């Protein structure tokens, strides 16, 4: 009995740490509606700053706790600077812009931390006065864990007092409920948002600072914690501090006991719980209808067919691409295959988001299922490349059909987070299932058939499949089905009034996008000769989002331009020192200075050359 009680206390200690970061994230979203992927970076900065202060200032109880508090305050100031310079410009942008912009901040902060503190993990000292263990029911419990169990509820109580007993707190709660009404009453929303961001950032920094006696400070802390923080916020209900506390306790305690029963499930348990909660209660445990929406999206122009002149230019570019293996090196041929795969993946994501209005943070799930489906067809069924390339997209379509049935019943951030949960669950299964999926060793030996083993021959295989998939997506976009998706995106109520089966239409669009992403994954698997779990990971999904953003989300040609630019920039930047900083800066420049992306610039160029007519008013 004592052992299980000790596990409960461990879970509660972890819950307090998780609550601190999730609480700040929930407060920021509740007021600003920013999907802040950089919140994990504030957590990491808090840990690094606390380590530096604790190891520099005189040792002792005062020195340790003073360092923790100062680190949290400094992180609050850092958060204020980021809010003033970057985030204030994108409060009314779609969730995609917010997510990608804050991911750019993540990349920049990672390299800044690398330059200041180095790449090695840093081991912080134990907390003075709390460096021993006490026995409870015969089991040793660290004193510091007991302190954390107390700190979590104290912070919750302090936030409750701040929000219910101060004028500023009342304004914050009012903005969470109705920002437009608060603005109409004359409240300076800009400074209100800044204050909220300082508070949320400081809480994340406090959570990181309190972790230095428990774990090593490393550059991986930001991404390792942000996934669970998002899960806690979504389960509790976006914007609900009490919900974040309950969800943190639920996730941490379940995880503490799941490790004893079924250790392999711990890696995906938070996402499983989130998926179940969202399916049963779409707004989270304490959320309210309407809390799923981010900033108001800008209205999009109607789709326009290319002019005959622009079509000729496009066909000429395709012919140049087809002839490229005869004039470029083998390395360039391989790079062009990567560009085509990335383009097809980005086009499939753009179809779901740009036309269907269904934001996905986990589109890599279907890319990965297509890749693994093709690889397993070769490994276990002994079939050749072409049958495997047919089975891969079918497997991805099946996965999208299952997950899409649940996802399309949600909207906004909750839909996006459920897609992320699906991707993480699939990633966890492939990562843990060593006997069937190869675990973290992946599946090797997935090479093209003999007749396609030469690089230039496989280039043409990829060319036919990828260009064919892109052409299919464009045809569907201009077909009645595509126009129906756009109508549902713009006004689901009006589309339903016209007799459309809204959810079925979205479900089929979701499935089609997944199938095309699976085709890209199958081509990718044979081009690399192997498949690893990272093809299902968050990084792959974020890459797709960045490609769509770089190209321009409001144009069908956007993902085509974005994928090409992304792969070429990535190939160049990865060779440089501090490539994350450079890449993150490029992302921020695009978000802030060119929100219409490369496609917007090309469109203006075509109009200047007379290859595209101005849209009639």
């Amino acid at each position: 009995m004592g052992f299980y009680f000790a596990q409960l206390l461990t879970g509660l200690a972890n819950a307090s740490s998780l609550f601190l970061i999730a609480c700040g994230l929930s407060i920021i979203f509740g007021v600003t509606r920013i999907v802040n992927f950089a919140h994990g970076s504030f957590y990491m900065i808090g840990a690094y700053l606390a380590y530096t202060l604790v190891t520099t200032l005189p040792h002792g109880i005062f020195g340790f706790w003073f360092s923790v508090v100062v680190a949290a305050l400094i992180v609050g100031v850092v958060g204020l600077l980021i809010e003033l310079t970057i985030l204030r410009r994108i409060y009314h942008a779609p969730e995609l812009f917010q997510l990608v912009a804050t991911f750019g901040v993540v990349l920049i902060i990672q390299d800044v931390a690398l330059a200041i503190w180095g790449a090695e993990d840093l081991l912080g000292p134990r907390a003075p006065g709390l460096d021993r263990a006490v026995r409870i029911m015969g089991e040793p419990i660290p004193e510091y864990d007991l302190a954390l169990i107390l700190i979590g509820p104290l912070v919750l109580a302090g936030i409750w007092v701040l929000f219910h007993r101060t004028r500023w707190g009342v304004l914050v709660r009012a903005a969470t409920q109705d920002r437009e009404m608060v603005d109409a009453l004359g409240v300076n929303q800009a400074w209100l948002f800044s204050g909220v961001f300082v508070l949320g950032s400081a809480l994340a920094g406090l959570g990181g600072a309190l972790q230095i006696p428990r774990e090593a400070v490393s550059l991986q802390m930001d991404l390792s914690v942000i996934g669970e923080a998002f899960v806690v916020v979504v389960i509790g209900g976006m914007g609900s501090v009490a919900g974040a506390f309950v969800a943190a306790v639920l996730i941490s305690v379940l995880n503490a006991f799941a490790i004893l029963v079924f250790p392999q499930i711990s890696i995906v348990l938070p996402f499983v719980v989130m998926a179940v909660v969202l399916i049963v209660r779409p707004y989270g445990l304490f959320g309210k209808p309407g809390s799923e929406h981010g900033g108001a999206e800008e209205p999009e122009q109607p789709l326009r067919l290319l002019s005959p002149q622009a079509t000729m230019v496009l066909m000429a570019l395709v012919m140049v691409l087809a002839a490229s293996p005869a004039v470029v090196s083998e390395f360039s041929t391989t790079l062009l295959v990567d560009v085509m795969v990335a383009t097809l993946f980005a086009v499939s994501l753009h179809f779901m988001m740009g036309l269907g209005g269904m934001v996905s943070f986990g589109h890599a799930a279907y890319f990965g299922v297509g890749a693994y489906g093709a690889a397993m067809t070769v490994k276990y069924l002994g079939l050749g490349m072409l049958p495997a390339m047919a089975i891969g997209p079918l497997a991805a379509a099946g996965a999208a059909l299952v997950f899409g049935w649940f996802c399309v019943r949600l909207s906004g951030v909750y839909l996006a987070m459920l897609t992320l949960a699906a991707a993480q669950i699939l990633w966890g299964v492939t990562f843990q299932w060593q006997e069937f999926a190869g675990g973290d060793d992946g599946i090797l030996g997935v090479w093209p058939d003999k007749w396609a083993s030469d690089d230039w021959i496989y280039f043409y295989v990829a060319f036919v499949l990828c260009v064919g998939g892109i052409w299919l997506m464009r045809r569907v976009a201009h077909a009645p089905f595509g126009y129906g998706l756009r109508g549902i995106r713009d006004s689901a109520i009006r589309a339903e009034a016209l007799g459309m089966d809204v959810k079925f239409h979205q479900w089929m669009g979701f499935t089609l996008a997944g199938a095309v992403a699976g085709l890209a994954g199958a081509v990718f698997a044979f081009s690399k000769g192997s498949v690893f779990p990272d093809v299902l990971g968050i990084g792959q999904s974020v890459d797709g989002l960045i490609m769509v953003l770089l190209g321009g989300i409001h144009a069908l040609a956007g993902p085509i331009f974005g994928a090409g630019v992304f792969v070429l920039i990535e190939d160049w930047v990865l060779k440089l020192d501090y490539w994350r900083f450079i890449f993150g800066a490029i992302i921020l420049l695009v978000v802030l200075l060119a929100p219409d992306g490369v496609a917007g610039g090309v469109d203006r160029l075509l109009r200047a050359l007379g290859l595209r007519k101005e849209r009639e008013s």
Side-chain angles (χ1 to χ4, degrees):
M1 186 63 184
F3 175 75
Y4 294 107
F5 187 71
Q7 284 295 111
L8 174 63
L9 293 179
T10 300
L12 292 177
N14 293 334
S16 287
S17 301
L18 187 56
F19 165 69
L20 290 175
I21 180 173
C23 172
L25 185 62
S26 185
I27 292 172
I28 290 173
F29 180 86
V31 177
T32 68
R33 292 297 190 263
I34 285 282
V35 184
N36 184 21
F37 204 85
H39 204 67
S41 298
F42 299 145
Y43 173 85
M44 179 184 71
I45 294 174
Y48 271 115
L49 289 174
Y51 172 85
T52 300
L53 292 171
V54 167
T55 55
T56 302
L57 296 177
H59 299 296
I61 295 178
F62 175 79
F64 176 84
W65 292 106
F66 177 79
S67 299
V68 168
V69 173
V70 170
L73 294 177
I74 294 175
V75 172
V77 174
V78 172
L80 175 63
L81 293 175
I82 292 175
E83 192 271 341
L84 292 175
T85 56
I86 299 172
L87 300 181
R88 183 169 288 189
R89 302 170 182 267
I90 58 173
Y91 278 139
H92 296 288
E95 290 96 338
L96 170 63
F97 286 79
Q98 299 169 3
L99 178 77
V100 174
T102 55
F103 184 73
V105 174
V106 169
L107 295 177
I108 292 174
I109 290 178
Q110 277 190 340
D111 266 0
V112 171
L114 174 63
I116 296 175
W117 287 285
E120 294 187 3
D121 294 357
L122 304 177
L123 298 175
R126 295 182 180 273
L130 297 172
D131 52 356
R132 299 181 181 180
V134 297
R135 289 197 170 271
I136 299 178
M137 300 180 67
E139 295 293 331
I141 307 296
E143 292 177 335
Y144 192 73
D145 281 6
L146 296 177
L148 286 180
I149 294 174
L150 181 62
I151 289 174
L154 287 177
V155 171
L156 176 62
I159 293 174
W160 187 91
V161 171
L162 178 66
F163 283 175
H164 290 80
R165 294 292 183 267
T166 67
R167 183 178 182 275
W168 182 83
V170 171
L171 291 177
V172 169
R173 289 193 296 121
T176 302
Q177 298 294 325
D178 193 334
R179 288 192 303 179
E180 289 73 18
M181 182 59 70
V182 171
D183 187 40
L185 292 174
V187 176
N188 188 331
Q189 287 202 44
W191 287 111
L192 184 66
F193 288 4
S194 296
V196 167
F197 211 88
V198 169
L199 176 61
S201 303
L203 287 171
L206 178 62
L210 289 172
Q211 284 300 101
I212 61 172
R214 304 184 80 213
E215 64 175 293
V217 183
S218 70
L219 296 172
Q220 289 74 43
M221 292 181 71
D222 52 355
L223 296 181
S224 66
V225 75
I226 191 63
E228 284 196 1
F230 269 121
V231 167
V232 167
V233 171
V234 171
I235 290 176
M238 303 295 275
S240 172
V241 175
F245 183 80
V246 172
V249 172
L250 175 66
I251 290 295
S252 299
V253 171
L254 283 177
N255 202 47
F257 286 100
I259 292 176
L260 301 177
V261 181
F262 187 28
Q264 290 81 1
I265 200 175
S266 61
I267 198 170
V268 297
L269 180 63
F271 295 95
V272 173
V273 175
M274 180 177 72
V276 172
V277 169
L278 288 182
I279 291 169
V280 175
R281 186 174 173 80
Y283 309 114
L285 297 177
F286 291 80
K288 297 179 180 179
S291 64
E292 74 275 16
H293 296 294
E297 297 193 13
E298 300 176 0
E300 294 185 18
Q301 298 179 357
L303 289 178
R304 290 167 291 165
L305 292 171
L306 290 175
S307 66
Q309 296 91 335
T311 302
M312 291 177 63
V313 171
L314 180 61
M315 293 302 298
L317 292 175
V318 172
M319 291 176 65
V320 170
L321 177 62
S324 59
V327 295
V328 301
S329 64
E330 290 186 1
F331 172 78
S332 298
T333 301
T334 303
L335 183 62
L336 288 174
V337 172
D338 291 342
V339 171
M340 290 188 292
V341 169
T343 301
L344 185 58
F345 176 59
V347 166
S348 69
L349 177 58
H350 180 269
F351 179 84
M352 188 164 69
M353 295 177 57
L355 270 73
M358 297 175 284
V359 179
S360 174
F361 292 169
H363 200 58
Y366 315 108
F367 181 87
V369 170
Y372 267 95
M376 290 178 178
T377 299
V378 173
K379 181 176 180 179
Y380 295 111
L381 301 181
L383 299 179
M385 180 184 71
L386 294 182
M389 284 184 168
I391 292 176
L394 290 177
L401 194 68
V402 173
F403 290 121
W405 190 87
F406 297 102
C407 291
V408 299
R409 280 154 176 75
L410 306 178
S411 60
V413 174
Y414 290 126
L415 185 153
M417 293 305 298
L418 189 54
T419 62
L420 175 62
Q424 286 300 101
I425 291 170
L426 289 174
W427 172 83
V429 170
T430 56
F431 187 82
Q432 297 274 14
W433 202 350
Q434 184 76 34
E435 296 80 8
F436 187 65
D440 56 347
D441 296 327
I443 299 177
L444 308 178
V446 189
W447 296 111
D449 292 341
K450 271 190 176 182
W451 61 269
S453 58
D454 290 341
D455 289 340
W456 69 273
I457 296 178
Y458 188 76
F459 170 88
Y460 285 111
V461 174
F463 177 84
V464 170
L465 293 175
C466 292
V467 173
I470 295 169
W471 175 83
L472 173 65
M473 288 283 93
R474 185 173 181 84
R475 291 290 296 176
V476 173
H478 286 286
F481 180 80
Y483 286 116
L485 274 179
R486 287 174 61 87
I488 293 170
R489 181 204 65 194
D490 294 336
S491 179
I493 296 176
R494 182 175 297 177
E496 191 170 9
L498 292 173
M500 294 183 63
D501 189 336
V502 170
K503 296 305 179 184
F504 181 80
H505 214 82
Q506 290 179 317
W507 185 25
M508 291 301 100
F510 195 104
T511 303
L512 177 59
V516 175
L519 177 60
V523 176
F524 172 85
F526 283 100
S527 70
K528 301 302 179 184
S530 57
V531 182
F532 296 96
D534 58 355
V535 298
L536 294 144
I538 295 177
Q540 183 70 29
S541 294
V542 172
D543 285 351
L545 293 169
I546 293 174
M547 286 185 275
V548 172
L549 174 65
L550 281 176
I553 193 172
H554 301 301
L556 286 180
I560 299 175
F561 292 116
V565 171
F566 176 84
V567 174
L568 294 177
I569 290 178
E570 186 180 44
D571 180 67
W572 165 66
V573 167
L574 288 178
K575 301 173 184 176
L576 305 175
D577 294 331
Y578 300 110
W579 64 269
R580 294 180 186 85
F581 186 95
I582 299 172
F583 200 54
I586 292 173
I587 291 172
L588 289 181
L589 286 175
V590 171
V591 171
L592 299 178
L593 302 180
D596 57 351
V598 178
V602 172
D603 183 67
R604 290 190 292 272
L605 177 62
L606 292 176
R607 291 182 184 184
L609 297 175
L611 298 179
R612 183 190 286 277
K613 295 180 180 180
E614 293 285 346
R615 184 169 64 92
E616 295 181 2
S617 59

